[in-house]
Amino acid sequence: MNRSRLTYFELRGRAEAIRVLLHATQTEFEDRRVVSADEWGALKPELPFGGLPIFETGGVLVCESHAILRYLGKTLTLGMQNDLDCSRHDAAQDAIATFQEDLWRFNWTEGYYDHLESYAKATLEPRLKMLSTWFCRNRGASSQWFGAEFGHVDCVAFCFLDEIDAFFPAVLAE
Protein backbone atom coordinates (compact mmCIF):
# COMPACT_ATOMS: atom_id res chain seq x y z
CA MET A 1 0.00 0.00 0.00
CA ASN A 2 1.33 3.44 -0.93
CA ARG A 3 1.20 5.98 1.83
CA SER A 4 -0.01 9.49 1.07
CA ARG A 5 2.67 12.15 0.85
CA LEU A 6 2.62 15.86 1.60
CA THR A 7 5.47 17.86 0.08
CA TYR A 8 6.39 21.31 1.35
CA PHE A 9 9.36 23.27 2.62
CA GLU A 10 10.96 22.92 6.04
CA LEU A 11 8.59 25.44 7.62
CA ARG A 12 4.99 25.73 8.74
CA GLY A 13 3.54 28.12 6.17
CA ARG A 14 0.88 26.89 3.77
CA ALA A 15 1.21 23.23 4.75
CA GLU A 16 0.76 23.50 8.51
CA ALA A 17 -3.04 23.30 8.57
CA ILE A 18 -2.81 20.27 6.28
CA ARG A 19 -0.34 18.60 8.66
CA VAL A 20 -2.57 19.41 11.63
CA LEU A 21 -5.59 17.89 9.86
CA LEU A 22 -3.71 14.74 8.89
CA HIS A 23 -2.39 14.27 12.42
CA ALA A 24 -5.75 15.07 14.04
CA THR A 25 -7.48 12.45 11.89
CA GLN A 26 -4.66 9.98 12.55
CA THR A 27 -3.98 9.69 8.85
CA GLU A 28 -0.63 8.15 8.03
CA PHE A 29 1.39 10.19 5.56
CA GLU A 30 4.94 10.96 4.55
CA ASP A 31 5.87 14.54 5.45
CA ARG A 32 8.37 15.29 2.71
CA ARG A 33 10.34 18.47 3.42
CA VAL A 34 12.18 20.24 0.62
CA VAL A 35 15.34 21.56 2.25
CA SER A 36 17.86 22.40 -0.46
CA ALA A 37 17.91 24.81 -3.38
CA ASP A 38 18.93 21.93 -5.66
CA GLU A 39 15.99 19.80 -4.56
CA TRP A 40 13.60 22.75 -5.04
CA GLY A 41 15.10 23.58 -8.44
CA ALA A 42 14.57 20.02 -9.66
CA LEU A 43 11.02 19.78 -8.27
CA LYS A 44 9.60 23.17 -9.28
CA PRO A 45 9.30 22.56 -13.05
CA GLU A 46 7.28 19.39 -12.37
CA LEU A 47 4.62 21.18 -10.32
CA PRO A 48 1.30 22.14 -11.93
CA PHE A 49 1.48 25.79 -10.82
CA GLY A 50 5.16 25.96 -9.84
CA GLY A 51 4.52 26.01 -6.09
CA LEU A 52 4.05 23.92 -3.00
CA PRO A 53 2.41 22.26 -1.16
CA ILE A 54 1.31 19.20 -3.07
CA PHE A 55 -0.47 16.15 -1.71
CA GLU A 56 -0.21 12.78 -3.39
CA THR A 57 -2.51 9.88 -2.59
CA GLY A 58 -3.56 6.80 -4.53
CA GLY A 59 -1.84 8.01 -7.69
CA VAL A 60 -3.64 11.36 -7.57
CA LEU A 61 -1.87 14.70 -7.13
CA VAL A 62 -3.73 17.53 -5.40
CA CYS A 63 -2.08 20.95 -5.49
CA GLU A 64 -2.68 24.31 -3.80
CA SER A 65 -3.02 24.38 -0.03
CA HIS A 66 -6.70 25.26 0.25
CA ALA A 67 -7.72 22.78 -2.44
CA ILE A 68 -5.82 20.12 -0.49
CA LEU A 69 -7.56 21.15 2.73
CA ARG A 70 -11.00 21.05 1.10
CA TYR A 71 -10.30 17.65 -0.42
CA LEU A 72 -9.07 16.23 2.88
CA GLY A 73 -11.91 17.90 4.78
CA LYS A 74 -14.42 16.12 2.59
CA THR A 75 -12.67 12.76 2.78
CA LEU A 76 -11.44 12.69 6.39
CA THR A 77 -14.03 14.55 8.47
CA LEU A 78 -17.78 14.74 9.00
CA GLY A 79 -17.78 18.53 9.13
CA MET A 80 -19.60 19.11 5.85
CA GLN A 81 -22.95 17.41 5.50
CA ASN A 82 -24.52 19.39 2.65
CA ASP A 83 -23.91 22.20 0.16
CA LEU A 84 -24.81 24.90 2.69
CA ASP A 85 -22.29 23.50 5.19
CA CYS A 86 -19.69 23.42 2.42
CA SER A 87 -20.32 27.04 1.48
CA ARG A 88 -20.11 28.17 5.12
CA HIS A 89 -16.83 26.30 5.58
CA ASP A 90 -15.51 27.72 2.30
CA ALA A 91 -16.40 31.27 3.36
CA ALA A 92 -14.70 30.85 6.73
CA GLN A 93 -11.64 29.22 5.18
CA ASP A 94 -11.29 31.94 2.56
CA ALA A 95 -11.65 34.73 5.13
CA ILE A 96 -9.07 33.16 7.43
CA ALA A 97 -6.71 32.62 4.49
CA THR A 98 -7.00 36.28 3.50
CA PHE A 99 -6.37 37.42 7.06
CA GLN A 100 -3.46 35.01 7.46
CA GLU A 101 -1.81 36.14 4.21
CA ASP A 102 -2.04 39.72 5.42
CA LEU A 103 -0.50 38.75 8.76
CA TRP A 104 2.38 37.00 6.96
CA ARG A 105 2.96 40.05 4.75
CA PHE A 106 2.91 42.31 7.79
CA ASN A 107 5.46 40.16 9.60
CA TRP A 108 7.80 40.33 6.59
CA THR A 109 7.57 44.12 6.38
CA GLU A 110 10.74 45.94 7.32
CA GLY A 111 10.37 47.50 10.74
CA TYR A 112 7.12 45.65 11.42
CA TYR A 113 8.03 45.43 15.09
CA ASP A 114 7.54 49.19 15.45
CA HIS A 115 3.93 48.85 14.24
CA LEU A 116 2.70 45.86 16.25
CA GLU A 117 0.25 47.81 18.39
CA SER A 118 -1.34 49.74 15.54
CA TYR A 119 -1.66 46.59 13.41
CA ALA A 120 -3.26 44.76 16.33
CA LYS A 121 -5.82 47.51 16.98
CA ALA A 122 -6.62 48.52 13.41
CA THR A 123 -6.42 45.13 11.69
CA LEU A 124 -6.35 42.06 13.91
CA GLU A 125 -8.96 42.97 16.49
CA PRO A 126 -11.67 43.85 13.93
CA ARG A 127 -10.91 40.72 11.91
CA LEU A 128 -11.10 38.44 14.93
CA LYS A 129 -14.44 40.01 15.86
CA MET A 130 -15.73 39.37 12.33
CA LEU A 131 -14.60 35.74 12.50
CA SER A 132 -16.12 35.24 15.92
CA THR A 133 -19.43 36.68 14.75
CA TRP A 134 -19.40 34.47 11.65
CA PHE A 135 -18.56 31.30 13.53
CA CYS A 136 -21.08 31.94 16.30
CA ARG A 137 -23.82 32.79 13.82
CA ASN A 138 -23.26 29.53 11.96
CA ARG A 139 -22.87 27.13 14.84
CA GLY A 140 -26.57 26.49 15.39
CA ALA A 141 -27.32 24.74 18.69
CA SER A 142 -23.73 23.58 19.09
CA SER A 143 -21.47 24.92 21.81
CA GLN A 144 -18.58 24.60 19.37
CA TRP A 145 -17.13 27.63 17.63
CA PHE A 146 -18.25 26.41 14.22
CA GLY A 147 -20.54 23.42 14.17
CA ALA A 148 -20.50 20.28 16.25
CA GLU A 149 -18.19 18.25 14.01
CA PHE A 150 -14.46 18.66 13.65
CA GLY A 151 -13.51 19.83 10.17
CA HIS A 152 -10.63 21.17 8.14
CA VAL A 153 -11.58 24.79 8.90
CA ASP A 154 -10.82 24.08 12.56
CA CYS A 155 -7.24 23.34 11.50
CA VAL A 156 -7.01 26.51 9.41
CA ALA A 157 -8.36 28.56 12.32
CA PHE A 158 -6.02 26.86 14.80
CA CYS A 159 -2.94 27.70 12.71
CA PHE A 160 -4.05 31.31 12.23
CA LEU A 161 -4.79 31.80 15.93
CA ASP A 162 -1.51 30.11 16.87
CA GLU A 163 0.36 32.61 14.68
CA ILE A 164 -1.52 35.50 16.27
CA ASP A 165 -0.63 34.12 19.69
CA ALA A 166 3.06 34.12 18.77
CA PHE A 167 3.12 37.84 17.92
CA PHE A 168 0.01 39.28 19.58
CA PRO A 169 -0.85 37.23 22.69
CA ALA A 170 -2.76 40.11 24.29
CA VAL A 171 -5.07 40.40 21.26
CA LEU A 172 -5.83 36.71 21.36
CA ALA A 173 -6.44 36.80 25.10
CA GLU A 174 -9.23 39.31 24.58
Side-chain angles (χ1 to χ4, degrees):
M1 179 175 116
N2 291 338
R3 201 160 64 158
S4 298
R5 177 169 64 179
L6 175 65
T7 303
Y8 195 62
F9 302 103
E10 182 63 42
L11 53 98
R12 291 172 46 143
R14 298 181 190 283
E16 191 64 10
I18 300 165
R19 290 185 191 114
V20 169
L21 178 60
L22 291 166
H23 286 294
T25 58
Q26 299 179 346
T27 303
E28 289 190 28
F29 72 104
E30 175 188 347
D31 191 3
R32 178 181 174 201
R33 306 285 180 119
V34 176
V35 296
S36 73
D38 289 340
E39 184 181 9
W40 172 234
L43 180 61
K44 187 174 180 172
E46 299 175 20
L47 301 172
F49 299 109
L52 293 175
I54 56 170
F55 183 76
E56 301 166 85
T57 186
V60 174
L61 176 96
V62 184
C63 58
E64 297 298 319
S65 59
H66 291 286
I68 296 167
L69 281 161
R70 286 182 175 104
Y71 167 76
L72 292 174
K74 289 175 184 173
T75 59
L76 298 177
T77 71
L78 300 172
M80 295 184 285
Q81 301 299 317
N82 56 50
D83 289 342
L84 183 57
D85 286 344
C86 288
S87 68
R88 288 175 176 161
H89 278 79
D90 287 348
Q93 181 176 346
D94 290 348
I96 294 168
T98 298
F99 298 165
Q100 188 174 41
E101 290 280 341
D102 185 71
L103 177 64
W104 292 343
R105 277 192 296 278
F106 172 75
N107 286 331
W108 283 100
T109 303
E110 187 175 336
Y112 79 95
Y113 193 78
D114 297 330
H115 305 284
L116 288 173
E117 188 174 328
S118 63
Y119 182 81
K121 290 285 182 203
T123 304
L124 281 181
E125 288 178 12
R127 288 178 173 176
L128 287 173
K129 285 178 184 169
M130 283 188 277
L131 284 173
S132 183
T133 300
W134 174 256
F135 284 125
C136 291
R137 177 185 319 137
N138 289 290
R139 74 177 177 198
S142 170
S143 64
Q144 303 294 320
W145 205 32
F146 190 67
E149 300 294 334
F150 170 79
H152 70 285
V153 177
D154 295 298
C155 299
V156 176
F158 171 81
C159 290
F160 177 55
L161 296 174
D162 189 52
E163 290 168 359
I164 292 173
D165 189 43
F167 294 96
F168 304 95
V171 171
L172 197 56
E174 286 183 35

